[in-house]
Structure formats: C-alpha cells, structure tokens
Amino acid sequence: ADTIRIGLLAPLTGYAAADGLAVLQSVKLAVDQVNAKGGVLGKQIELFYEDDAGEAKEAIGLARKLVQMDKVVAVVGGSYSMPTRAVAPLFQEFEIPLVAGYAVHPDITAAGDFCFRNGFLGTVEGRGAGVAAVDMLKAKTVGMLTMDNDFGRQMAEGFKSYVVSKGAKVVYSQVYPLGEKDLMPYLTAVKEADPDVILASGYYAEAAGIVKQAHEIKLRTQIIGEEGYDSPKFIELAGPEAANGTIIVTNLDRDDERPVAQAYIKEYRERYGMEPDMTGASNYDAFLIIVDGIRRAGTTDPHKVKDAIAALKDFDGVTGVIKGFTEIGEVIKPVQVQIVKDGVFRRYGIVDDPEVIDPRK
Amino acid sequence: MGGYFSTVAIMIGIYALVASGLNIIVGFAGQISLGHAAFFGIGAYSTALLCTKAGLSFWWSLPLATLITGMIGALLGIPSLRVRDDFLAITTIGINFIVRSIFLYVPFFGGALGIGGIPTPILFATKLRGQYYLALVAVLLALVTWFTFLFVRTWTGLATEAIREEETAAGAMGISHVRFKILAFTIGSAMAGLGGVLYAHFVNFISPDDFGFPVSIMLLSMAVLGGMGSIWGPILGAIVLGSLPELFRPLVQYRMFLYGAALLLVIRFQPQGILGEGSVLSRLVSRRRQ
Amino acid sequence: MQLLTEHLINGLAVGSIYALMALGLAMVYGILRILHVAHAGVYAIGAYVGLYTFQATDSFLVAIAVAMAACALVGVAIEKLVYYPLLKFPPYVPLIASIAIFLSIEELCRIVAGPYILGFPRRLALDSLTLGPVSLGGMQILVLLTSLVILLVLWFISDKTEVGLAMQATSQDMAMASAMGVDTKRIISITFALGSAVAAVAGVLVGIYYNQVYPTMGAVPAYKTLAIIVVGGLGSIPGAVLAALLLGLAEALLIGYAAIPLPRDALAFIAMIIVFMIRPQGLLGKKTR
Amino acid sequence: MLEVENLTVAYGDILALQDVSFFLEAGEMVSIIGANGAGKTTLLNTLMGLVKAKSGRALYVEPSKDGGNRGRDILQLPAHERAALGIRIVPERARVFPNLTVEQNLRMGVYGLSGSVDVERAFGEVYELFPVLKERRRQAGQTLSGGEQQQLAIARALVSSPRILLVDEISMGLMPKLVDLVFSVLKRLNDEKGLTILLVEQNAVKALAIAHRGYILETGRIALEGKASDLSQNPKVREAYLGGDAAGGSV
Amino acid sequence: MSMPGEDLILRVEKMSRHFGGLKAVDNVSFHVRRGEILGLIGPNGAGKTTCFNVISGVYRPTSGQVFLDGSRIDGLPAHSIAARGVGRTFQIVRPFGGMTVLNNVMVGLGMPRYGSFIKSSPLFNNSKNRGQAMAFLNEVGLEGLADSPASILSLGNLRRLELARALALGPKLLLLDESFSGLSQEEVGRMMGLVRKIQERGFTILLIEHNMRVAMSLCERLVVLDHGGKLAEGTPDEVRSDEKVIEAYLGKGE
Ligand SMILES: Nc1ncnc2c1ncn2[C@@H]1O[C@H](COP(=O)(O)OP(=O)(O)OP(=O)(O)O)[C@@H](O)[C@H]1O
Ligand SMILES: Nc1ncnc2c1ncn2[C@@H]1O[C@H](COP(=O)(O)OP(=O)(O)OP(=O)(O)O)[C@@H](O)[C@H]1O
Ligand SMILES: [Mg+2]
Ligand SMILES: [Mg+2]
C-alpha cells in the first residue's frame, strides 16, 4: 500500500462522546502533523477511526473490521476500559499492536505482548494522589468518595494503601454511582466526618457537582480529584470560584515548558477553539508512540513494531517524558499534580518517585 | 465472509434468540416485560461463573446456565401474578435495574470489572470462532424457533394465549394463571439465558452494563418491530435492528439519530410489526397466496 | 439535628424536582395510558431551550416561559404525530415509539449542542434564607416555591374543573367521552401541552440547580419517573407528587445515614417493588379490575 | 329531523350496513328491529359518531327553523359536535366510565351544558327515577351491578335534555319492574316533551307497542318498514322477530 | 328446606360477600338439586352476580360456605372450581377477543389438560378437537363465524359464544348469568330449547335471568334475592304471586 494505515477506536457517541471527540481531534491533529513532516518511512499515514460508543459489544465487531477490512497495522485504543478490554485479546490474536490511551483495566495489557497502555493504572494514580495528600498537603485524616467503576475502585485502593502506610487515617469512605448529580447527601456526611483532605473521584460532570456543592455547603476539606477532573469543562461547570484550589492528579501538565507539550496545547486551541484535556493528550501520545515504533522498526511488520514499542525509552511525550513500558506493557511516567488557580489548571507538583509510579508495585 | 460480518451476524443471531424468549412472555402470554436483559445477563453470568470458577466446560455449562436462568425467571415472574399491564412493565424495569446492581455491587460477580477469561467453546479440538461460532448460534436459534413453533400449538400455548386475552374468563375455563404465567416466564427466561451463554462465550468477558435497561429496550423493540406474537417476528426484528446501526456506521455522528428515527418510522407506520397483521409484507404475501 | 434538617431540605428540594418531572408523565399517562418515556426528552429540550434563552436574554422568567412554550409544542407534536395514531395498538407499540423518540431527541441534542455538559452562564443571584438554625439555599427556595405553585395549579385544573373531569373521562372511554360532547382531541392536546410545559420547568430548574445541561440528562429521569408514577398509582397526580417527595426524602436520608451499597437509582425500584407487594395499585391508585 | 341516505358502514372488509336509508320526524319514536348481528348497534353508533361511515349522508334539520332548510350532514361532524346538537346515546353495554363515580358519570352527561341546562333539576329528576343511583353517588361506575350500570347509562343520557335520543337495547339487564318504568319514561318524554327517539330493542313487542314507526334490519339492509302497528301485525315479522305466538307479555 | 338424602349438587350456606360497608350478599343460603334448572332472580343490585362470582371463585366469600357435591369449594381459586365441573358465563361478556371463535371454544375443551404439564403439551389443533368445538358452535348457532376473531362479534353473538365456551368444559353445574339478554326473540326460543337439551344430558343449571318468560318457563324452582338477602323461594307460580316479589321486583305492570 502507499499509505500506512492506523486504526482508532473511540466513543464518538453515547455516554462518553465528549471524551471521544477530544480523542479524535487530538489524534487527527497528530496525523496531520506527522504527514505534514513527510509522514513516516516516506509514506503518509491514513487514519481509520470507528465509533464504539463506549460499549464492548460494539467494539469487538469494529476491531475485526479495522484489522480484516481496513488492514490497519496498529491501533490506538481511544476508548474506555470495557470496550478496550474486550478488543485487547483480539488484537493480540491478530498480532496487531494496540496502544490504549486512557483505558485503565489491568486485563488490557495482560492480554499479551501486543497490548500497551499509555495511561496510569488506577492504583498508580491513587498512590500519586496519596503522595499529594500526605506528602504535599500533610494530611492526617483523609476521606474517600469514590466513583463506582473499575477505575474509581482501583484508585481508592492505591490511595488508601499509600496513605495508610504513611500513618494517615481514613475517616470516611463511600462509593457513589456514576452519573450522580445530587452529591449533597454525601458531602453533608463528609462535612460531619471532617477529614483534612478527601479523594473525590469522578468524571468532569460529577467532579463539577462535587466541587460546586461542596462550595455551597462551605465544606472546608481540601478536595483531591483525578484525571477525570482534567477538562476545561470541569472548571466551567463548577464555576471558577468553587473550582479554585482544587487539586488533581493527572498526566497532562499545562505548565510543562517542553516544546512538544506547548506546541500541542497551542495548536489544539487554535485548530478546535477549545482547551485540550488529558484524554486527548494521552491518545495523541499513544498515536505518536506507534509512529515512533514504526519509524524505529523501519517497517510496518507488526512484530517488529511491537518490539520497537516495547523498547521505547525516554520518549518526549505531551504527557511527560515517558520512561518506557514495563515487560507487560504498562507505561512508566510521572504523575502530574495540578491545582486550579484563577480558573485554569497550573502545576502544583510532580510525583516521579519510582516506588510510586512504577505500575509493577 | 469477513470476521466483521460474522461478528455482526453472530450478535444478530444471539439477539434473535433472546428476543424470541421475550416474544413468549410478551407476545404469547401478554405479560409486558421491559427487563428481559436481566435474564440475558443472568445466563451470561451463570456460564461465566460456571466456567471460570467451577471449571465446567462450555458444553456442560450451556444447559446448566440455561436451566438456572429459567428457574430464576420463574422466581422473578412472581410479580406478574400481583401486578398487571403497565405496572408490570415498570416492575420489570425495576427487576432489570436491581439485577444489574447486584452484578455491579456484589463482589462475587466481579463488580464493575465484570468477569473475563470466559473460554471460547471447543468442539472436536477446534476452537469455535467466526463462522463456526455462527453455525453454533444458527443451530441453537433454529432449535429455539422450532420449540416456539410447537409451543404455540400445544394446549399450553392455547391456555397462555387465553390468559393474555382475558384472565378472568381463562380462570373460569380452568386455566390457572399462576401456572401458565410462571411457565411463560420460565421458558422465555431460559431462552434469554441461552442467549446469554452464547454471548458470554463469544465476547469472552462480560460486565454489568452489557445487560442494562437499554438492552431490554432494544430486545423489546426487536420483538415488536418484527411482529409481536409471530414466530419469525423477533428474528426479523433482530436482523433489522441489528444491521441498521451497521448500515449507518459511515455516518458516525448521525448514526444513532438515524437509528432512532428509523425505529420510530417503522413502528409508526407498521405498528404491528414488519410481519404483523396488516403490514406491507404480510399483505404482499397474502396477495400472492390468493 | 442541623445535619438532619439539611438532609431533609435537600431531600424535599430533590423530591419536588422529581415531582415536577413525574407530574407531566402522570398526566399524560392518565389520559392516554401511554408510558411516555419521551417525556424525559421533552424535559431535556426544556433545559436546552431555557439555557439558550437565558444566554440570550439573561432573564430567568423569559427563559422559563420560552422553554414552556417550546416544550408544549414538542409535546403536542409528539401526541398528534405519533401517539394518537397508535392508540388502538397494544401498549408496547406506543411505548417503543416513545423510546425511539426519546433516543432521537437525545441524539438531536447531541448533534445540535455538542456532547458536552453546558452550564448556565451566570448563577442566579438568590439570597439564602435563614430560619432559626436552618438555612435554605436560594436555589432550594426557588425550586420549592415553583413546584408548589405548579402543583397547586395542576391540582386545581384536574380536580376542580370540567376540563379535569373530561380528562378522566377521555382516558377511560374516549369514544363515549366524545359522545358526551367532549372534544377529546383538544383535551388530549391540552393535557400534553400542560404536562410538557411542566417538564420544561423541571428541565430549567434542574439545569440551574446542578448547573448541568447535557444531551443524556433525561436518561435517568426517564425510568425513575416511571417508577415514581407507578408507586403513586398510575395516573394519580397527587399520588405521583407524594411518591416523588417520599423518594427524594428517602434518598437523602438513606444515602446520608445508612451508606447503602446500592446506587440510588436502584433504590427507587426497590421501594417500588416493596410498595407493590403491599399495594399493587400504588399508594393512591384506584383498584381496577 | 334526521334523514339518513344510503348509509354504508364497514369494519375493515366486513360490510355491516349497506345502503341504509330512513328518516326520523321531529317528535317521532322509531324502532329498529333485527336479528343478532344485523347491524342495529352499528347504525346507532354511526349516527352518534362512535363508528365511521364509509359512505352516505345523515341530514340533521334544526326543528326550530321550519320549512325549506336543507340541514347539515352530521356524518361529517365529530361526535362531540353531534352531542352539542343534542344527539345522545344510551349505548349497548352501558359503557359507563369505569373509574368515575356515579355522580361524575352524570356530570359528564351535562358536560359543556352548565349554561343551558338546569343541572340540579336534571340530576334530581334522574335520581328520582333511579333512586339507587343517588344511593351510589360516590361509587365507581365499574363496581355497579350490570343493571345499575344500565340505569346510570340511561340517566347520563337523559340529564342533558337531548333532542334526539338513540337507545340501544335499553332494557338489557334491567329487572322487569324497571323495564316497564323505562319504557313508560321514554313514552312520556316522547309524548310530552316531543323528544325524538330512535329505539333499538330485542324486545320487539314492547318496542313496537310504543313506537310510531319501525324498520326491520336484515344483515345490514332495511328489509321492511312501516307503521309500528302494521309491523306488529305482519305475519312474517311476528314469526321472525316477535318470537312467534309464544311472545306474550313478560309475565 | 332440603330433605336429608336429597341429591344436592350445590349447597350455599350462610354466604356473605361485603365490599367495604356494602353488603352485596348477606347471609344467603340455598341449594341446587342435581339435574334441575334453578333460577336466581331479584332486583338490580340484589347480589346475584356476586353470588355467581363467589361460587365460581372470582371472589372469596366474606363468610359462609359453598359445597359442591358435598366438598367445600369456597375460597378455592377460580380455575380449580372450574376443574371440579363448574362452568359459567359472564353478564358482562368476556370473550378471548384476539382469538378466533373456534379457538375460544377450544380453550374450553382443553380443561381436563390444564392441570398438568404432560397433559397440556400435546398439540390441540387436530380434526377431532375441531370437530368437537364445531359441534358446540353448531348448538348455539355460531358455526358460520368460527374463524372470525371473537372481538368482532355482535353482543348477541358474544352471549352465544360464552355459552358454547362454557358447554365445552363439560361442566356438571352450569351457571348462566343473563345469557338470554340481548338475544333476539327468535334466538331466545332456540336457546331455551338448547338449555332444556343440556339439562336432559344430565347437566344441572343455575341461571340468573330478568326475562320472566324465560325464567318462569325454564326453571323448576326460583330463588329470589333482594338487597343481598333471600327474599323468597319456590316454584315459579309461588314466586309470581308472592306480594313481596311483585313489590320489589316484578312490578305491577301489564
Ligand atoms: N368492531 C367490529 N369489527 C368488525 N366487525 C364488527 C365489529 N362490530 C360489529 N361487527 C360486525 O358487524 C355486524 C353488525 O354488528 P352489530 O353489533 O351492529 O349488530 P347488532 O344488530 O347490534 O347485533 P346484536 O343484536 O347482537 O347486538 C356483525 O356481523 C358484527 O360481527
Ligand atoms: N367490586 C365491588 N365493589 C363495590 N360494590 C360492588 C362491587 N361489586 C358489586 N358491588 C355492589 O354489590 C351489589 C350487588 O351487585 P351484583 O352485581 O351482584 O348485582 P346483581 O344482582 O347481579 O344485579 P344486576 O341484576 O343488576 O346484574 C351492587 O349494588 C353493586 O353495586
Ligand atoms: Mg347490538
Ligand atoms: Mg348481575
């Protein structure tokens, strides 16, 4: 073929459509940037994207379509855990490299050596949040208000194990269902328990609800959020006043001076007229990791590309300097701690303690 | 035939099977159920647990999980004895939500993570994949359809229909509404369970959201669209509603809208289903016969 | 004690929003015996129209009025174009149609307004009210008051006027009602217009209360309100209100105190099933044979 | 007052009425007699607007405007506008509103008429006629016994002071005492108030006894018409519809 | 009144059925002898249909007992009372509307089979069953409408269908609730003949009727209810001349 075909699965409709859009826009940006510089191995890249609506049963058919009909050589997994987890074994079987952007389920990389992840495991991000809580904020008592899904639960686990190991006490722990808008009953209870910090997970909608309603009932507890908060929408919906001072752990650092990060942020803004977020950035990187793999392999042969990706070292990504992948394909990169100041995310700190960020721990 | 097509065809086959079960409950027994995905899920979870935790093979698990689902269906059919019509419809929505919550919240069922590693069935030392799996689904669907065909022609079928039409009069004819309603729920649920088994071993991993309320809606739409109470209806409905989204796939952003609009148009202008009485298709067929 | 009051007030506010959403549904069910799932879509449309009008005019009242008018139109259109012609078919036929409409509305909202959650540009400046130890948020007052007014108006219409009687008669035997001189088409349209306008109010209030307007905002209410109206007794307006308030309170208290391991949405249905085991016709429903 | 021309009604492919023509003079009581399934109910329901006609006309002439008026075709009007003209029906199977109370059912009878009808008096009259209804004022329609429902249906039609009353087997389910009462009420209303009545009745002896004229309906067509007294003497009619000679009185 | 050793098929003892404060049936006792035609008459709202509903198991009695062939049946579910041989028609007709007239009758034929899974699993639509069902339709004069859906029948025809369906059960006791109302005069005569024929086949019949021509000529005995209680009982001649019955029910008319 005269182009190199790369696939993308993303939730362009359905409950996660907003994330799907950020993913698609970012990857398209990356494709154009690469092609503008002459492509890779002298060929242009052609993107084949499909909408899995965030559902496993949709994704499995589409994975086959990408491989068997579109003949892609590698795939960016730009969707959530459930669909990505469903397709990982298929790509393994087809021997097509898959780099998941932000899906968090452990089984994805466990499917085999063709499956990689450029996002944090929940436990890693949870430990990162733990560092922010006890090491940066010096919390003695903590609370947890956890979103009820795989990510929320794993994160809570990582967080809890870290803070407890550092001697902090968990005084409130509650799981809430996804999509919950009325968080008052929980927050009122948090107010009663009065921990120093609370880890409150959620996607931007729940996050905005938590932060806004906490502001309304004048909750004093410092809120630590996670990558789900990492969206300009969060600040917009919560209102800058309520959002101010919220700390989150994520993988995009807006104050990162490295040109690659600044260029992405600038071009994204210009091209789409909106703020980039972590989901887009992470998949942008996932795509570039594949391109980099092809370039270093010097071929599109999936086995060689896979080996090249596995051998990645100190890759200069938008989401930080990626140290590489573990033998099972989990990314090793620093956790970014950000704080909302004057209505925008700013750097608060970086967690790069190998003990914390190594997914094998 | 590419893998993509067999995937779509397998899903259609599975849905046709599950919708056929719903057809027994709604079409023949007249008990509106909006929670059929719960039984689909119970079948899938049963086989997942039987195979991953108890180490059973697919071929043992298939009948066992079907049976288990049928039994639970009998149990969950009990509300239909107490509440009727729209009350029942909404109660079954409730059942769907509660069953899904149990999958989600009881750690035994794997929580939000679901259950993975459900084995692909093996027959004569070949893994049943792609076309082979499609063949398996087709054979089972044919069996179920044949069963339905017989069911409606038995005294049981007649009694079930009588209850649908007039429960008090059916009672005066010696028909126990308890027995036949529960029976309909049992059979219908067992079919859904069978579909769930096939689904689980095809996708290889399952999670609570695969069996949520929207799936129930889709199943009911299939049964109604094809022609409720007609044996081929659910199959046709599954083919139409299963392939429409695939046809619209190139229209990414507009796909689901078109799907909704298409469903609306069909139901609005063929309210008795594509195969139902007075539909374009059935009129064509009967004209030819004359 | 103060905590308890806060829970109670929050529960009441949430409950009255549920009531507004359920009311229209109960009315529509009352007249056509259709499980009008698309009502939740109308509610989402109300929120969007309210939001855009608010952005354009900066006036809460105008936003509400425009949203009500728009939703009344949409509601009547759904009734005339889809439900009315489907009345003679079994109940699942209009139900499926309703679900298809709902799906289409959700998708249309997403296509037109984008998949994002939108917020009201400026929070309404509402003072909070302090009564002794209890402080009521401005939003809560707004929600409670609006709901109360609407409830009273609807109760009056349905219980004290000839139109209300005609609504009931139409729902029980449409042909006979028209033989008694009732213009049943008009009565049905009035019912849909009223119910949909109330949904618009609910949509706008929810949009402001949580500051979130998004395409799938109707998904949860779509089925939860169904549970509410059956618990209340299908078609019974006071029943729907009672059930909605009870549910709002129960949710607030259970989540606040009992830390139950089930999502609140399952709660509504568990409550429903318990009610049915005791009173199959719902809290205020009439027994029918 | 009502002139029906070539009325044809079909349910799907089944023709229930074919080319039926007849008329009703103002103040007249006309009886329609026919076997089961002949189309009597269909006829009344079509005139009321409960069933749609396939073709034909039914011209309604306002009694007040005497002389050369052409009247309007009520088949083109929706049922509620026919009701507004003063056409009312006592339908087959009573069809009371099941979940409305007795009183609400009666209120439906005067729907939209509160200006033109003395509701209090009208209610008083029917309560006097059927005391059981007053007793059961607050009971839901569907819990009434069959005969009580029938009484309610009659009362509901009478309270509106109709101009044309369509009556479909008014005696169905009523006890003998009430059957006599109801027929005498119909006769009185017809005599004294000039109420125009179209009477469908299986009890043909009674019907022909009080009606002025009659029509015999056979499988959807008018087979015979004439003065009531002539019809009841007609041997063929006696044979087929009056139960032969066994048709004595009721007791 | 019943003599010892008399062959009673149905015994109703001190039966009451109240709805809230309303005593629809209050402390009523009567019996039906095997092979007779007994009429249950009385003013509208007297409680006749309610009696049927209790006997046939639609309602439980508030108090009192019902014996069929000596064994108690009150409170049993309707279907098991039907299975014991009580067939009935409904005053407010209840056809299986979506099914054909023929299948409506088939449902009745199936009665002996509904009790067990094994027996209810054979196919029903064979020529033998069709023939039997058609025979019942013939008796009531509906053979021409066998393949029409029941929902399109006129009221008079629905009454006949109700009767055919109940006959198909082969009941030993048949309860007819105003089965003659709405029938044309000619049909009434024919149906009376049919009822007599059924009686000759050994069936027992309990009927509610407001048509006195029918009640007086068919029934050997009459039980008169009023306001939930028993007002009178006796032969047609006795009842017809009973002042209380005339006052409450028959009226002075004609
Ligand atoms: N809804 C319907 N659909 C189809 N056919 C119908 C419907 N209603 C009535 N018919 C048919 O129309 C014809 C006339 O019925 P109709 O009820 O007018 O008769 P009728 O003279 O009132 O009889 P009856 O004395 O039994 O009440 C019958 O053949 C009947 O089967
Ligand atoms: N479900 C019910 N709830 C309340 N009252 C009822 C109910 N069913 C019957 N009744 C009342 O009980 C009384 C007896 O009713 P029933 O139907 O037995 O009368 P009936 O003797 O059959 O009269 P008819 O000759 O008019 O058919 C009536 O007054 C009726 O209003
Ligand atoms: Mg008739
Ligand atoms: Mg009765």
Side-chain angles (χ1 to χ4, degrees), chain A residues 9-280:
Chain A
L9 283 173
L12 301 176
T13 56
Y15 64 93
D19 288 330
L21 187 62
V23 168
L24 181 62
Q25 289 179 351
S26 294
V27 175
K28 275 186 170 166
L29 178 66
V31 171
D32 291 347
Q33 286 172 341
V34 171
N35 283 343
K37 285 186 203 146
V40 63
L41 306 183
K43 288 183 186 169
Q44 293 283 296
I45 289 174
E46 197 177 348
L47 182 69
F48 287 82
Y49 61 89
E50 291 291 350
D51 168 28
D52 66 16
E55 287 177 24
K57 60 175 184 296
E58 294 272 323
I60 48 173
L62 296 173
R64 291 199 160 93
K65 175 169 184 285
L66 285 177
V67 175
Q68 296 177 335
M69 291 171 63
D70 301 335
K71 312 263 184 251
V72 299
V73 298
V75 173
V76 177
S79 196
Y80 279 44
S81 280
M82 288 306 158
T84 313
R85 179 190 183 194
V87 297
L90 290 177
F91 289 120
Q92 180 66 32
E93 196 180 318
F94 294 134
E95 304 191 322
I96 294 288
L98 168 77
V99 181
Y102 59 107
V104 290
H105 198 281
D107 280 1
I108 292 167
T109 47
D113 53 354
F114 278 85
C115 301
F116 302 88
R117 182 201 329 268
N118 179 39
F120 296 118
L121 281 177
T123 42
V124 173
E125 200 164 316
R127 286 202 295 265
V131 173
V134 294
D135 299 335
M136 298 182 185
L137 293 162
K138 312 283 178 231
K140 296 278 172 284
T141 54
V142 300
M144 300 190 308
L145 181 55
T146 315
M147 164 173 63
D148 174 34
N149 64 4
D150 50 358
F151 182 61
R153 284 170 188 254
Q154 286 169 12
M155 193 174 162
E157 233 167 74
F159 178 77
K160 190 170 167 186
S161 69
Y162 187 83
V163 296
V164 169
S165 77
K166 293 282 173 153
K169 233 173 77 190
V170 179
V171 296
Y172 178 80
S173 172
Q174 172 69 40
V175 176
Y176 73 88
L178 267 178
E180 184 69 284
K181 279 191 287 191
D182 177 23
L183 293 133
M184 283 291 194
Y186 305 103
L187 294 169
T188 312
V190 172
K191 197 173 170 186
E192 177 97 333
D194 198 27
D196 295 335
V197 305
I198 175 139
L199 171 72
S201 57
Y203 296 114
Y204 73 91
E206 293 91 0
I210 291 171
V211 168
K212 185 165 80 79
Q213 289 167 24
H215 185 71
E216 269 164 31
I217 62 165
K218 306 191 174 65
L219 185 71
R220 297 181 308 121
T221 308
Q222 169 67 48
I223 295 176
I224 297 185
E226 32 82 340
E227 62 182 45
Y229 284 49
D230 191 338
S231 159
K233 279 276 158 192
F234 158 66
I235 299 171
E236 183 190 321
L237 290 177
E241 196 188 334
N244 262 349
T246 305
I247 288 174
I248 69 166
V249 285
T250 181
N251 63 13
L252 177 61
D253 176 9
R254 271 77 171 178
D255 290 330
D256 194 335
E257 291 96 24
R258 289 172 308 122
V260 55
Q262 286 310 320
Y264 165 74
I265 293 173
K266 183 164 156 285
E267 280 196 38
Y268 192 94
R269 274 186 197 140
E270 277 170 8
R271 187 154 164 178
Y272 301 115
M274 54 174 95
E275 284 294 310
D277 61 22
M278 154 272 157
T279 56

Side-chain angles (χ1 to χ4, degrees), chain E residues 125-193:
Chain E
N125 198 352
N126 56 36
S127 57
K128 180 170 154 264
N129 293 329
R130 262 201 312 276
Q132 275 187 15
M134 280 308 292
F136 286 113
L137 286 178
N138 261 318
E139 288 203 302
V140 299
L142 277 184
E143 65 281 359
L145 290 166
D147 293 324
S148 312
S151 59
I152 72 161
L153 263 51
S154 75
L155 183 56
N157 291 337
L158 285 174
R159 291 247 182 266
R160 300 190 229 189
L161 176 58
E162 290 247 340
L163 182 60
R165 201 169 61 172
L167 286 178
L169 290 176
K172 50 188 175 193
L173 175 64
L174 187 57
L175 312 179
L176 303 180
D177 195 346
E178 299 199 23
S179 285
F180 294 83
S181 76
L183 292 184
S184 66
Q185 301 284 47
E186 188 199 10
E187 277 309 314
V188 169
R190 204 177 119 166
M191 281 300 175
M192 284 169 60

